[in-house]
Amino acid sequence: MVLHDTDDTTGQPTPARTGLENLLAEDRRFAPDPEFAAQANVHAEVYSWANADRLDFWADQARGLLDWATPFTQTLDWSGAPVARWFADGTLNAAYNAVDRHVAAGRGDRVALHFEGEPGDTRTLTYADLLREVSKAANALTELGVRTGDRVAIYLPLIPEAVIAMLACARIGAPHSVVFGGFSAQALHSRILDADARVVITADGGYRRGAPSALKSTVDEALAAGSGEIVRHVLVVRRTGQDVDWTEGRDLWWHDAVDGASDQHEAVAVEAEHPLFILYTSGTTGKPKGIFHTTGGYLTQAAWTHRNVFDLKPETDVYWCTADIGWITGHTYVVYGPLINGATQVIYEGTPDTPDRGRWWDIVQKYRVSILYTAPTAIRTCMKWGEELPSARDLSSLRVLGSVGEPINPEAWTWYRRVIGGDRTPVVDTWWQTETGAIMISPLPGVTAAKPGSAQVPLPGIAATVVDDDAQPVPDGAGGYLVLTEPWPAMLRGVWGDEQRFRDTYWSRFPGIYFAGDGAKKDDDGDIWLLGRVDDVMNVSGHRLSTTEIESALVAHPAVAEAAVVGAADDTTGQAVVAFVILRGDAQTDPETVGEDLRAHVAKLIGPIAKPRTVLVVPELPKTRSGKIMRRLLRDVAEHRQVGDATTLADASVMDLIQQGLATPSTD
Ligand code: WTA
């Protein structure tokens, strides 16, 4: 069994899940509301159809949900496994499907985006507006020399131009690489280099926690670090009006380049397997992985899941996904899924507590949001802030609630349903990854019963299961590794520029089977419960961070000799980064400030999101005889537990030394 193994590479069950057994014993399940079920987009038959003929099911969805420039005749080609080809002889354009066809069908007046800026400014863009803006931006990019197949890096706050920029790239078949605006210059630099991006789209800054925060200066710093050699142009949106440095010939204002461009542009039909985007994610090495997705299969599954997991009614619903476009959730469930489906959605630039902790609920009330999709961390934070804030607003428009990014503990799930959903809304706990491209495991509202804390069942057309060390499916009631045994339309097609890494990371643990990196358990009903990562990847506020990447950043600091990083349970963020560092003997460091220095150093190299919550200075690290750090023991320390079995340590006294060393200042 994987979860309590003493093998150092295995993870810990998520501690927030205490009470799981109790909850299962009580069998607290919410049956679908009959009225909701009668009007739901899908019914139970969808499972039998997909089970009977998975490929027929997906081919039918691809035809029904998308407009093809050339219809496909072939559904799946798996002969090049593990690289799948879906609908490969068809051609289409993502932006055409997301925008043009809605306008052509007479829906140009429907609102596509209700933008809410953090300072309170708003903009409304209909599908017709979006078509004009995306066409202009596509013409401007073409003018800057961007051709089909070229990569464009996007480093923007969540403003309409972010959506427009992504669609403009898709329109000309230039894969975009969105880099989260919270990442540092170093992180941006390495992503620009890896993707060989020729144009960067950014803004002067964005609003965050009540103040403008700079983006353009970070791009300047990234380009100065070397990627400037390959980047020809930087297109800059004026958002905050703050001062920016300017490189003549390279930098252009968005309003100069885009506003005057023609609003007529014909979308380029690309092959279904043409890359749509690259998105970097953390792996078990320091180097970020460029996960890339292609067009036809990705859009099919994005559209199907968005429509059916949230029971979207495009004519009447107002949908809001709180994710930033810097993450996969922002790609699939802010940009492609909702727009392909012709939905009306809210996008919000800022944080939930600006200007006060009622901001999110004000937004739900103001736009009469009916579908809300967010992360457990946010739900737990709101829980901490108290139910008076949501209760003081009219949230009665909500009818479906979604959760993503990490296991949601049953307490937070039931709070979400009761306080936010007013006890009437289905809650869908959706499991998926950057690599899977779209939701894979989730209840279907109106169809399946919901069980707090469990992502439950694979969606129709998805083959997910839990296996043991020998790749055998575990019986109900047992735990193991989460795997996907059949290809799915939105699956990643590889790691950009590194096919070997793709094979090694996902396909080598169990030959021929995709291993997701997560531990999971099947309960007595056969429902799946996610139990967190079993590799060295942490999940902080629903964001994947690599222990190795943070360790590399720490040892790059002149004061640090060695570092080990673990994810420790945290009530709000799920996991928090805890760093154990050994200082260099000759280091000129002030023990009072070294923790803060190192936190700032990690923020600079990777981004504030990767900052350790706690830095512990220790005299030694626990290592096996083969020199492998035993993170399990460090996690015990970080989570204030009795330290577990340390007999395989090369030097068994190290743990005592560490415990004593913890008298040293930390930032906890
Ligand atoms: C975790 C985010 C439990 C999981 C869309 C996965 C979840 C990683 C859930 C992917 C969920 C995501 N329940 N765990 N509903 N959703 N995860 O690539 O560990 O940023 O492997 O994609 O988040 O994170 P990523």
Side-chain angles (χ1 to χ4, degrees), residues 281 328-329 403-407 429-435 516 518 530 533 539 542 544:
T281 189
I328 189 69
T329 310
S403 166
V404 62
E406 41 171 328
D429 176 4
T430 63
W431 179 89
W432 60 294
Q433 309 176 294
T434 306
E435 292 87 343
D518 284 332
L530 277 306
R533 308 281 311 177
N539 189 323
R544 279 161 69 181

Side-chain angles (χ1 to χ4, degrees), residues 562-580:
E562 275 192 78
V565 164
V566 297
D570 186 280
D571 281 349
T572 308
T573 59
Q575 283 189 306
V577 180
V578 176
F580 294 81

Side-chain angles (χ1 to χ4, degrees), residues 206-223:
Y207 290 97
R208 224 50 214 158
R209 294 186 202 289
S213 77
L215 289 170
K216 171 65 165 59
S217 57
T218 311
V219 173
D220 291 339
E221 208 185 311
L223 299 197

Side-chain angles (χ1 to χ4, degrees), residues 76 108 156 175 184 223 230 239 264-265 390 410 437 483 493 572 580:
L76 169 68
L156 280 171
S184 68
L223 299 197
I230 60 164
R239 168 66 185 136
Q264 300 297 310
H265 181 272
V483 296
R493 300 302 197 262
T572 308
F580 294 81

Side-chain angles (χ1 to χ4, degrees), residues 292-434:
F292 77 93
H293 285 281
T294 58
T295 310
Y298 170 80
L299 294 178
T300 300
Q301 199 179 327
W304 192 89
T305 51
H306 183 258
R307 185 173 289 256
N308 297 306
V309 170
F310 302 110
D311 189 49
L312 175 82
K313 312 278 195 259
E315 304 78 29
T316 46
D317 275 315
V318 178
Y319 164 85
W320 182 23
C321 167
T322 64
D324 188 87
I325 46 138
W327 312 108
I328 189 69
T329 310
H331 283 61
T332 310
Y333 297 109
V334 176
V335 181
Y336 293 107
L339 296 176
I340 294 280
N341 287 330
T344 293
Q345 67 175 319
V346 172
I347 58 172
Y348 171 54
E349 178 187 30
T351 52
D353 52 354
T354 309
D356 59 54
R357 292 172 169 182
R359 184 67 184 272
W360 271 18
W361 314 122
D362 286 337
I363 293 175
V364 170
Q365 174 175 283
K366 172 174 172 189
Y367 296 100
R368 301 212 46 79
V369 172
S370 57
I371 304 173
L372 178 67
Y373 191 30
T374 191
T377 301
I379 299 165
R380 287 191 292 266
T381 302
C382 293
M383 249 172 105
K384 264 205 300 210
W385 289 344
E387 61 184 82
E388 303 74 38
L389 292 160
S391 300
R393 272 85 177 175
D394 176 8
L395 307 183
S396 62
S397 51
L398 288 169
R399 60 175 207 93
V400 179
L401 299 175
S403 166
V404 62
E406 41 171 328
I408 177 164
N409 47 312
E411 296 75 10
W413 193 105
T414 36
W415 186 89
Y416 193 31
R417 185 177 187 279
R418 180 177 61 81
V419 177
I420 306 305
D423 269 334
R424 45 172 209 283
T425 60
V427 174
V428 287
D429 176 4
T430 63
W431 179 89
W432 60 294
Q433 309 176 294
T434 306

